[in-house]
Amino acid sequence: MLTGKTILLGVTGGIAVYKSADLVSRLRKENANVEVVMTEGAKEFITPLTFQTMSNNMVHHKMFNEITSYDVEHISLAKKADMIVIAPATANTIGKIANGIADNLLTTVVMASKAKVLIAPAMNTVMYDNYMTQENMKKLKGLGYEFINPGSGLLACGDIGRGKMAEPVDIVEYIKSSFVKKDLKGKNITITAGPTIESLDPVRYITNHSSGKTGYYLAKNAVDRGAQVNLISGPTNLTPPKDVNFVEVKTTQDMFDAVGDYFDKTDVLIKSAAPSDFRPEKSSELKIKKQKDIKKMTIDYVENPDIVAYYGSKKKNQIIVGFAAETNDLYENANKKIKSKNLDFIVANDITQEGAGFQVETNIITIIDNMGNKESYPKISKEEVAIEILNKVKNML
């Protein structure tokens, strides 16, 4: 996701430098080119060789190196950076940048660059809450510098409070979102995700194999692209993306009602959930016990509301996207759904194909619109599926 991007990682002297090594690894896995600049204080905690090995680049730390090329180091680094990330950022480094002090390679590069700067503070709670630190951060925010807030917990000094450097996984997500074009800004998008469950008794229920991954990727990418997102989800093992309006539901009726709460203000409804089409006619208040003489059990089911069909019939200017997970007659079944549910387009996939369907990280999809146009994709990740769906939505908007 960061292919072709150069991230200049500034590492300053704090115990949280161990997280910076993980951060380099994660950025490399996203295909970013990582250049590391260390302060002298950082070298007291970890060696440049560690970052050199992990980044596959020479580590920069000396302000006055012997000139081996016609590039002035701090200027060439400043020019090549698509983004500067300082993690961990000590109170000392934050103060220097806020007050225009450039007395080491890192602060000099920051002053010489026009790239976006992201700062991940890491320090003792008292230092973080200190008036001067807060004023320095306030000043930098006013100048356009961005901060990812520290976490709270047990610090290396033994204190408990704010000051833990943000986790590398969160910093990487922040960096990735920074490079996403905000082409859905001002749009309200409602996304349903995951399965629903229908109780048989207090212990048992019926459900399906939906993991919710595509819906959660849709929500994450839509937020990154500037949309206001309502994520209505059945039970999953996933963590909701930051900055979404998360609504947790259980039954199909719950999901139907939740969609109704947001539908009138929604520009786009993406119905990626796999709700149960039927529910038990009666749910036992007590656990159904096994009985010796009974070898079979019959359960009567009744139909659940068809969420996408109902709101498809109510739509005015909304774009509605449906899904068709099929085992046979893929295009025939998908086209029927487009017409019967009044969809703008549908995402169809054959779940019998290897690498498609539920509980995997990839899918093989065909997008079919209400004019009969279709575009098929090879096996791609579910995150890429989400991006392609939102690209189609953007084009329709």
Side-chain angles (χ1 to χ4, degrees), residues 57-121:
N57 282 318
M58 291 297 296
V59 172
H60 314 274
H61 54 90
K62 290 185 178 180
M63 181 68 167
F64 301 106
N65 278 328
E66 180 181 347
I67 296 176
T68 57
S69 71
Y70 287 104
D71 283 334
V72 179
E73 188 172 25
H74 69 274
I75 299 298
S76 62
L77 284 171
K79 286 183 177 179
K80 73 166 64 172
D82 292 297
M83 186 175 189
I84 297 174
V85 180
I86 306 176
T90 60
N92 181 49
T93 295
I94 292 171
K96 286 180 178 181
I97 297 171
N99 291 282
I101 299 172
D103 63 351
N104 60 30
L105 183 58
L106 175 58
T107 52
T108 304
V109 169
V110 171
M111 186 169 286
S113 179
K114 294 181 179 179
K116 178 184 289 188
V117 179
L118 173 64
I119 298 174

Short mmCIF file of all heavy atoms in Angstrom, two decimals, residues 57-121:
data_model
loop_
_atom_site.label_atom_id
_atom_site.label_comp_id
_atom_site.label_asym_id
_atom_site.label_seq_id
_atom_site.Cartn_x
_atom_site.Cartn_y
_atom_site.Cartn_z
N ASN A 57 18.84 -0.02 4.22
CA ASN A 57 19.44 1.26 3.83
C ASN A 57 20.46 1.67 4.88
O ASN A 57 20.36 1.27 6.04
CB ASN A 57 18.37 2.36 3.73
CG ASN A 57 17.57 2.29 2.45
OD1 ASN A 57 18.11 2.05 1.37
ND2 ASN A 57 16.26 2.49 2.54
N MET A 58 21.43 2.48 4.46
CA MET A 58 22.36 3.03 5.43
C MET A 58 21.60 3.92 6.42
O MET A 58 20.66 4.61 6.04
CB MET A 58 23.44 3.87 4.72
CG MET A 58 24.40 3.05 3.88
SD MET A 58 25.37 1.88 4.87
CE MET A 58 26.32 3.01 5.90
N VAL A 59 22.01 3.89 7.67
CA VAL A 59 21.37 4.72 8.70
C VAL A 59 22.14 6.03 8.82
O VAL A 59 23.38 6.06 8.82
CB VAL A 59 21.35 3.97 10.05
CG1 VAL A 59 20.86 4.89 11.16
CG2 VAL A 59 20.46 2.75 9.95
N HIS A 60 21.41 7.11 8.94
CA HIS A 60 22.00 8.45 9.01
C HIS A 60 21.98 8.93 10.45
O HIS A 60 20.94 8.91 11.10
CB HIS A 60 21.23 9.40 8.11
CG HIS A 60 20.93 8.84 6.75
ND1 HIS A 60 21.80 8.93 5.69
CD2 HIS A 60 19.84 8.15 6.28
CE1 HIS A 60 21.28 8.33 4.63
NE2 HIS A 60 20.09 7.85 4.97
N HIS A 61 23.14 9.37 10.93
CA HIS A 61 23.16 9.85 12.32
C HIS A 61 24.19 10.94 12.58
O HIS A 61 24.12 11.64 13.59
CB HIS A 61 23.39 8.68 13.29
CG HIS A 61 24.61 7.86 13.00
ND1 HIS A 61 25.84 8.15 13.53
CD2 HIS A 61 24.76 6.76 12.22
CE1 HIS A 61 26.72 7.24 13.11
NE2 HIS A 61 26.08 6.39 12.30
N LYS A 62 25.15 11.11 11.68
CA LYS A 62 26.18 12.13 11.91
C LYS A 62 25.81 13.42 11.19
O LYS A 62 25.47 13.41 10.00
CB LYS A 62 27.53 11.63 11.42
CG LYS A 62 28.11 10.51 12.30
CD LYS A 62 29.51 10.14 11.83
CE LYS A 62 30.10 9.06 12.73
NZ LYS A 62 31.47 8.68 12.29
N MET A 63 25.91 14.52 11.93
CA MET A 63 25.58 15.82 11.36
C MET A 63 26.63 16.24 10.33
O MET A 63 26.31 16.80 9.29
CB MET A 63 25.49 16.86 12.48
CG MET A 63 25.15 18.25 12.02
SD MET A 63 23.45 18.37 11.41
CE MET A 63 23.29 20.16 11.33
N PHE A 64 27.89 15.92 10.61
CA PHE A 64 28.97 16.37 9.74
C PHE A 64 29.79 15.18 9.26
O PHE A 64 30.86 14.88 9.78
CB PHE A 64 29.86 17.38 10.46
CG PHE A 64 29.12 18.59 10.94
CD1 PHE A 64 28.84 18.77 12.28
CD2 PHE A 64 28.68 19.56 10.04
CE1 PHE A 64 28.14 19.88 12.72
CE2 PHE A 64 27.98 20.66 10.47
CZ PHE A 64 27.71 20.83 11.82
N ASN A 65 29.24 14.44 8.28
CA ASN A 65 29.96 13.33 7.67
C ASN A 65 30.97 13.87 6.66
O ASN A 65 30.81 14.96 6.11
CB ASN A 65 29.00 12.39 6.94
CG ASN A 65 28.36 11.41 7.89
OD1 ASN A 65 28.95 11.01 8.88
ND2 ASN A 65 27.13 11.01 7.57
N GLU A 66 32.00 13.07 6.40
CA GLU A 66 32.90 13.39 5.31
C GLU A 66 32.11 13.34 4.01
O GLU A 66 31.32 12.41 3.78
CB GLU A 66 34.04 12.37 5.26
CG GLU A 66 35.03 12.64 4.14
CD GLU A 66 36.14 11.60 4.11
OE1 GLU A 66 36.26 10.83 5.09
OE2 GLU A 66 36.87 11.55 3.10
N ILE A 67 32.30 14.34 3.15
CA ILE A 67 31.52 14.42 1.91
C ILE A 67 32.00 13.36 0.93
O ILE A 67 33.17 13.34 0.53
CB ILE A 67 31.63 15.83 1.28
CG1 ILE A 67 31.01 16.86 2.22
CG2 ILE A 67 30.94 15.86 -0.08
CD1 ILE A 67 31.14 18.29 1.72
N THR A 68 31.13 12.45 0.55
CA THR A 68 31.46 11.38 -0.39
C THR A 68 30.70 11.54 -1.71
O THR A 68 30.87 10.75 -2.62
CB THR A 68 31.13 10.00 0.21
OG1 THR A 68 29.75 9.97 0.57
CG2 THR A 68 32.00 9.73 1.43
N SER A 69 29.80 12.52 -1.77
CA SER A 69 29.09 12.79 -3.00
C SER A 69 28.73 14.26 -3.02
O SER A 69 28.99 14.99 -2.05
CB SER A 69 27.81 11.95 -3.10
OG SER A 69 26.84 12.41 -2.17
N TYR A 70 28.14 14.70 -4.12
CA TYR A 70 27.79 16.12 -4.23
C TYR A 70 26.46 16.43 -3.56
O TYR A 70 26.00 17.57 -3.58
CB TYR A 70 27.77 16.55 -5.70
CG TYR A 70 29.16 16.66 -6.28
CD1 TYR A 70 29.64 15.68 -7.12
CD2 TYR A 70 29.99 17.72 -5.95
CE1 TYR A 70 30.93 15.76 -7.65
CE2 TYR A 70 31.27 17.83 -6.47
CZ TYR A 70 31.74 16.84 -7.31
OH TYR A 70 33.01 16.92 -7.83
N ASP A 71 25.81 15.41 -2.97
CA ASP A 71 24.57 15.64 -2.25
C ASP A 71 24.87 16.07 -0.82
O ASP A 71 25.63 15.40 -0.11
CB ASP A 71 23.72 14.36 -2.19
CG ASP A 71 23.02 14.09 -3.50
OD1 ASP A 71 22.78 15.06 -4.23
OD2 ASP A 71 22.73 12.91 -3.78
N VAL A 72 24.31 17.20 -0.41
CA VAL A 72 24.40 17.58 1.00
C VAL A 72 23.36 16.74 1.73
O VAL A 72 22.18 16.79 1.43
CB VAL A 72 24.11 19.08 1.19
CG1 VAL A 72 24.17 19.45 2.66
CG2 VAL A 72 25.12 19.90 0.37
N GLU A 73 23.81 15.94 2.73
CA GLU A 73 22.98 14.87 3.26
C GLU A 73 21.63 15.33 3.78
O GLU A 73 20.60 14.77 3.44
CB GLU A 73 23.73 14.12 4.37
CG GLU A 73 22.99 12.87 4.83
CD GLU A 73 23.83 12.03 5.78
OE1 GLU A 73 24.72 12.58 6.44
OE2 GLU A 73 23.58 10.82 5.86
N HIS A 74 21.62 16.38 4.62
CA HIS A 74 20.34 16.76 5.21
C HIS A 74 19.38 17.32 4.17
O HIS A 74 18.17 17.19 4.29
CB HIS A 74 20.54 17.74 6.38
CG HIS A 74 21.04 19.10 5.98
ND1 HIS A 74 22.37 19.38 5.82
CD2 HIS A 74 20.38 20.25 5.72
CE1 HIS A 74 22.52 20.66 5.49
NE2 HIS A 74 21.32 21.21 5.42
N ILE A 75 19.92 17.90 3.11
CA ILE A 75 19.05 18.42 2.04
C ILE A 75 18.53 17.28 1.18
O ILE A 75 17.34 17.23 0.83
CB ILE A 75 19.82 19.44 1.17
CG1 ILE A 75 20.27 20.64 2.02
CG2 ILE A 75 18.93 19.90 0.01
CD1 ILE A 75 19.13 21.42 2.65
N SER A 76 19.41 16.33 0.82
CA SER A 76 18.98 15.22 -0.03
C SER A 76 17.95 14.35 0.69
O SER A 76 16.98 13.88 0.08
CB SER A 76 20.17 14.37 -0.46
OG SER A 76 20.82 13.79 0.67
N LEU A 77 18.13 14.13 2.00
CA LEU A 77 17.16 13.37 2.77
C LEU A 77 15.82 14.10 2.83
O LEU A 77 14.76 13.50 2.69
CB LEU A 77 17.67 13.12 4.19
CG LEU A 77 18.75 12.06 4.36
CD1 LEU A 77 19.31 12.10 5.78
CD2 LEU A 77 18.20 10.68 4.05
N ALA A 78 15.88 15.41 3.05
CA ALA A 78 14.67 16.21 3.13
C ALA A 78 13.88 16.17 1.83
O ALA A 78 12.65 16.12 1.83
CB ALA A 78 15.01 17.66 3.50
N LYS A 79 14.59 16.16 0.71
CA LYS A 79 13.93 16.19 -0.59
C LYS A 79 13.31 14.84 -0.96
O LYS A 79 12.28 14.78 -1.61
CB LYS A 79 14.92 16.61 -1.68
CG LYS A 79 15.25 18.11 -1.66
CD LYS A 79 16.18 18.46 -2.79
CE LYS A 79 16.46 19.97 -2.82
NZ LYS A 79 17.40 20.33 -3.92
N LYS A 80 13.97 13.74 -0.56
CA LYS A 80 13.47 12.43 -0.97
C LYS A 80 12.31 11.93 -0.11
O LYS A 80 11.61 11.02 -0.51
CB LYS A 80 14.60 11.40 -0.97
CG LYS A 80 15.07 10.96 0.39
CD LYS A 80 15.94 9.70 0.31
CE LYS A 80 17.22 9.93 -0.46
NZ LYS A 80 18.12 8.74 -0.36
N ALA A 81 12.10 12.53 1.05
CA ALA A 81 11.06 12.05 1.97
C ALA A 81 9.66 12.42 1.47
O ALA A 81 9.38 13.59 1.22
CB ALA A 81 11.28 12.61 3.36
N ASP A 82 8.80 11.41 1.35
CA ASP A 82 7.38 11.68 1.10
C ASP A 82 6.67 12.00 2.42
O ASP A 82 5.64 12.68 2.42
CB ASP A 82 6.72 10.45 0.45
CG ASP A 82 7.23 10.21 -0.95
OD1 ASP A 82 7.00 11.09 -1.81
OD2 ASP A 82 7.87 9.17 -1.18
N MET A 83 7.23 11.51 3.50
CA MET A 83 6.68 11.79 4.83
C MET A 83 7.78 11.56 5.85
O MET A 83 8.60 10.65 5.72
CB MET A 83 5.49 10.87 5.12
CG MET A 83 4.75 11.18 6.41
SD MET A 83 3.26 10.14 6.55
CE MET A 83 2.48 10.88 7.99
N ILE A 84 7.83 12.42 6.86
CA ILE A 84 8.77 12.26 7.97
C ILE A 84 7.98 11.81 9.19
O ILE A 84 6.97 12.41 9.55
CB ILE A 84 9.51 13.57 8.28
CG1 ILE A 84 10.36 13.99 7.07
CG2 ILE A 84 10.38 13.43 9.52
CD1 ILE A 84 11.01 15.35 7.21
N VAL A 85 8.43 10.73 9.81
CA VAL A 85 7.79 10.20 11.00
C VAL A 85 8.83 10.17 12.12
O VAL A 85 9.91 9.58 11.94
CB VAL A 85 7.25 8.77 10.77
CG1 VAL A 85 6.58 8.24 12.04
CG2 VAL A 85 6.27 8.76 9.60
N ILE A 86 8.54 10.82 13.23
CA ILE A 86 9.46 10.82 14.37
C ILE A 86 8.84 9.96 15.46
O ILE A 86 7.82 10.31 16.05
CB ILE A 86 9.72 12.25 14.89
CG1 ILE A 86 10.20 13.14 13.74
CG2 ILE A 86 10.75 12.22 16.02
CD1 ILE A 86 10.40 14.60 14.13
N ALA A 87 9.46 8.78 15.67
CA ALA A 87 8.89 7.81 16.60
C ALA A 87 10.02 6.95 17.18
O ALA A 87 10.62 6.17 16.43
CB ALA A 87 7.86 6.93 15.89
N PRO A 88 10.33 7.07 18.44
CA PRO A 88 9.67 7.94 19.42
C PRO A 88 10.18 9.38 19.31
O PRO A 88 11.29 9.61 18.87
CB PRO A 88 10.08 7.32 20.76
CG PRO A 88 11.44 6.73 20.48
CD PRO A 88 11.37 6.22 19.08
N ALA A 89 9.34 10.30 19.74
CA ALA A 89 9.71 11.71 19.79
C ALA A 89 9.79 12.13 21.25
O ALA A 89 8.79 12.08 21.97
CB ALA A 89 8.68 12.56 19.04
N THR A 90 10.95 12.51 21.69
CA THR A 90 11.13 12.94 23.08
C THR A 90 10.67 14.38 23.25
O THR A 90 10.51 15.13 22.27
CB THR A 90 12.60 12.84 23.49
OG1 THR A 90 13.38 13.69 22.62
CG2 THR A 90 13.11 11.42 23.40
N ALA A 91 10.49 14.78 24.49
CA ALA A 91 10.12 16.17 24.79
C ALA A 91 11.20 17.11 24.29
O ALA A 91 10.91 18.22 23.80
CB ALA A 91 9.92 16.34 26.29
N ASN A 92 12.45 16.67 24.37
CA ASN A 92 13.57 17.48 23.92
C ASN A 92 13.49 17.76 22.42
O ASN A 92 13.61 18.92 21.98
CB ASN A 92 14.88 16.76 24.25
CG ASN A 92 16.11 17.55 23.84
OD1 ASN A 92 16.24 18.74 24.14
ND2 ASN A 92 17.03 16.90 23.15
N THR A 93 13.26 16.72 21.63
CA THR A 93 13.18 16.90 20.18
C THR A 93 11.96 17.72 19.78
O THR A 93 12.03 18.58 18.90
CB THR A 93 13.15 15.52 19.48
OG1 THR A 93 14.41 14.86 19.72
CG2 THR A 93 12.95 15.66 17.98
N ILE A 94 10.84 17.47 20.43
CA ILE A 94 9.64 18.26 20.15
C ILE A 94 9.89 19.73 20.43
O ILE A 94 9.53 20.62 19.64
CB ILE A 94 8.44 17.74 20.97
CG1 ILE A 94 8.02 16.34 20.48
CG2 ILE A 94 7.25 18.71 20.90
CD1 ILE A 94 7.00 15.65 21.37
N GLY A 95 10.57 20.01 21.55
CA GLY A 95 10.88 21.39 21.91
C GLY A 95 11.81 22.05 20.91
O GLY A 95 11.65 23.22 20.55
N LYS A 96 12.80 21.29 20.43
CA LYS A 96 13.74 21.85 19.45
C LYS A 96 13.02 22.22 18.16
O LYS A 96 13.21 23.32 17.62
CB LYS A 96 14.85 20.84 19.16
CG LYS A 96 15.88 20.69 20.26
CD LYS A 96 16.94 19.67 19.87
CE LYS A 96 18.01 19.53 20.95
NZ LYS A 96 19.05 18.56 20.58
N ILE A 97 12.21 21.31 17.66
CA ILE A 97 11.50 21.58 16.39
C ILE A 97 10.56 22.77 16.55
O ILE A 97 10.47 23.63 15.67
CB ILE A 97 10.73 20.34 15.93
CG1 ILE A 97 11.70 19.18 15.64
CG2 ILE A 97 9.90 20.64 14.68
CD1 ILE A 97 11.03 17.85 15.37
N ALA A 98 9.87 22.84 17.69
CA ALA A 98 8.91 23.93 17.92
C ALA A 98 9.59 25.29 17.98
O ALA A 98 8.96 26.31 17.65
CB ALA A 98 8.14 23.67 19.22
N ASN A 99 10.83 25.29 18.35
CA ASN A 99 11.53 26.57 18.52
C ASN A 99 12.63 26.79 17.50
O ASN A 99 13.50 27.65 17.68
CB ASN A 99 12.09 26.65 19.94
CG ASN A 99 10.99 26.78 20.98
OD1 ASN A 99 10.42 27.85 21.17
ND2 ASN A 99 10.65 25.67 21.64
N GLY A 100 12.59 26.02 16.41
CA GLY A 100 13.50 26.27 15.31
C GLY A 100 14.95 25.92 15.57
O GLY A 100 15.84 26.48 14.92
N ILE A 101 15.20 25.04 16.49
CA ILE A 101 16.58 24.64 16.80
C ILE A 101 16.95 23.44 15.93
O ILE A 101 16.28 22.41 15.97
CB ILE A 101 16.74 24.29 18.30
CG1 ILE A 101 16.40 25.52 19.15
CG2 ILE A 101 18.13 23.78 18.60
CD1 ILE A 101 16.34 25.24 20.63
N ALA A 102 18.04 23.58 15.17
CA ALA A 102 18.48 22.51 14.28
C ALA A 102 19.92 22.18 14.61
O ALA A 102 20.85 22.59 13.89
CB ALA A 102 18.31 22.93 12.82
N ASP A 103 20.12 21.45 15.68
CA ASP A 103 21.48 21.18 16.14
C ASP A 103 21.90 19.71 15.99
O ASP A 103 22.92 19.29 16.51
CB ASP A 103 21.66 21.62 17.60
CG ASP A 103 20.77 20.85 18.56
OD1 ASP A 103 19.89 20.10 18.09
OD2 ASP A 103 20.96 21.00 19.79
N ASN A 104 21.06 18.92 15.30
CA ASN A 104 21.46 17.57 14.94
C ASN A 104 20.88 17.25 13.57
O ASN A 104 20.14 18.07 12.99
CB ASN A 104 21.03 16.54 16.01
CG ASN A 104 19.52 16.50 16.22
OD1 ASN A 104 18.73 16.76 15.30
ND2 ASN A 104 19.10 16.18 17.44
N LEU A 105 21.23 16.09 13.03
CA LEU A 105 20.82 15.78 11.66
C LEU A 105 19.30 15.72 11.53
O LEU A 105 18.73 16.22 10.56
CB LEU A 105 21.45 14.46 11.22
CG LEU A 105 21.16 14.03 9.77
CD1 LEU A 105 21.62 15.09 8.78
CD2 LEU A 105 21.81 12.69 9.47
N LEU A 106 18.63 15.10 12.52
CA LEU A 106 17.18 14.94 12.42
C LEU A 106 16.46 16.29 12.40
O LEU A 106 15.62 16.54 11.53
CB LEU A 106 16.66 14.09 13.58
CG LEU A 106 15.14 13.94 13.67
CD1 LEU A 106 14.57 13.33 12.39
CD2 LEU A 106 14.74 13.11 14.88
N THR A 107 16.75 17.15 13.36
CA THR A 107 16.05 18.45 13.41
C THR A 107 16.40 19.31 12.20
O THR A 107 15.58 20.11 11.74
CB THR A 107 16.39 19.19 14.71
OG1 THR A 107 17.81 19.27 14.87
CG2 THR A 107 15.79 18.49 15.91
N THR A 108 17.62 19.14 11.67
CA THR A 108 18.00 19.89 10.47
C THR A 108 17.22 19.40 9.26
O THR A 108 16.75 20.20 8.44
CB THR A 108 19.51 19.75 10.22
OG1 THR A 108 20.23 20.17 11.38
CG2 THR A 108 19.95 20.60 9.03
N VAL A 109 17.05 18.08 9.14
CA VAL A 109 16.27 17.53 8.03
C VAL A 109 14.83 18.01 8.10
O VAL A 109 14.24 18.39 7.09
CB VAL A 109 16.33 15.99 8.05
CG1 VAL A 109 15.30 15.41 7.08
CG2 VAL A 109 17.71 15.50 7.67
N VAL A 110 14.26 18.01 9.30
CA VAL A 110 12.88 18.46 9.46
C VAL A 110 12.74 19.91 9.01
O VAL A 110 11.80 20.27 8.30
CB VAL A 110 12.42 18.29 10.92
CG1 VAL A 110 11.07 18.97 11.15
CG2 VAL A 110 12.32 16.82 11.29
N MET A 111 13.70 20.74 9.38
CA MET A 111 13.63 22.15 9.02
C MET A 111 13.80 22.35 7.52
O MET A 111 13.24 23.29 6.93
CB MET A 111 14.69 22.94 9.78
CG MET A 111 14.60 24.44 9.57
SD MET A 111 15.65 25.39 10.70
CE MET A 111 14.73 25.25 12.21
N ALA A 112 14.54 21.44 6.87
CA ALA A 112 14.83 21.60 5.44
C ALA A 112 13.78 20.95 4.55
O ALA A 112 13.86 21.08 3.33
CB ALA A 112 16.20 21.01 5.13
N SER A 113 12.81 20.26 5.13
CA SER A 113 11.85 19.49 4.32
C SER A 113 10.50 20.18 4.23
O SER A 113 10.06 20.87 5.16
CB SER A 113 11.66 18.10 4.93
OG SER A 113 10.72 17.36 4.19
N LYS A 114 9.83 19.94 3.11
CA LYS A 114 8.45 20.40 2.93
C LYS A 114 7.46 19.25 3.11
O LYS A 114 6.25 19.42 2.93
CB LYS A 114 8.27 21.00 1.53
CG LYS A 114 9.08 22.29 1.31
CD LYS A 114 8.83 22.85 -0.08
CE LYS A 114 9.61 24.13 -0.31
NZ LYS A 114 9.39 24.69 -1.67
N ALA A 115 7.97 18.07 3.46
CA ALA A 115 7.10 16.90 3.61
C ALA A 115 6.26 17.00 4.88
O ALA A 115 6.60 17.71 5.83
CB ALA A 115 7.95 15.62 3.66
N LYS A 116 5.14 16.26 4.88
CA LYS A 116 4.32 16.15 6.08
C LYS A 116 5.14 15.50 7.18
O LYS A 116 5.90 14.57 6.94
CB LYS A 116 3.07 15.32 5.80
CG LYS A 116 2.17 15.10 7.02
CD LYS A 116 1.00 14.19 6.70
CE LYS A 116 0.00 14.88 5.79
NZ LYS A 116 -1.25 14.07 5.62
N VAL A 117 4.97 16.00 8.41
CA VAL A 117 5.69 15.45 9.57
C VAL A 117 4.68 14.89 10.56
O VAL A 117 3.77 15.59 11.00
CB VAL A 117 6.58 16.52 10.25
CG1 VAL A 117 7.30 15.91 11.45
CG2 VAL A 117 7.58 17.11 9.26
N LEU A 118 4.87 13.61 10.91
CA LEU A 118 4.05 12.95 11.92
C LEU A 118 4.92 12.67 13.13
O LEU A 118 5.99 12.08 13.01
CB LEU A 118 3.48 11.64 11.37
CG LEU A 118 2.74 10.75 12.38
CD1 LEU A 118 1.48 11.45 12.91
CD2 LEU A 118 2.38 9.41 11.77
N ILE A 119 4.44 13.10 14.31
CA ILE A 119 5.21 12.96 15.54
C ILE A 119 4.48 12.03 16.50
O ILE A 119 3.29 12.19 16.77
CB ILE A 119 5.41 14.34 16.20
CG1 ILE A 119 6.23 15.25 15.25
CG2 ILE A 119 6.11 14.22 17.56
CD1 ILE A 119 6.38 16.68 15.74
N ALA A 120 5.22 11.03 17.01
CA ALA A 120 4.68 10.07 17.97
C ALA A 120 5.39 10.27 19.30
O ALA A 120 6.47 9.69 19.53
CB ALA A 120 4.86 8.64 17.47
N PRO A 121 4.83 11.09 20.20
CA PRO A 121 5.50 11.37 21.47
C PRO A 121 5.65 10.12 22.33
O PRO A 121 4.81 9.22 22.31
CB PRO A 121 4.55 12.38 22.15
CG PRO A 121 3.69 12.92 21.05
CD PRO A 121 3.56 11.81 20.06
#
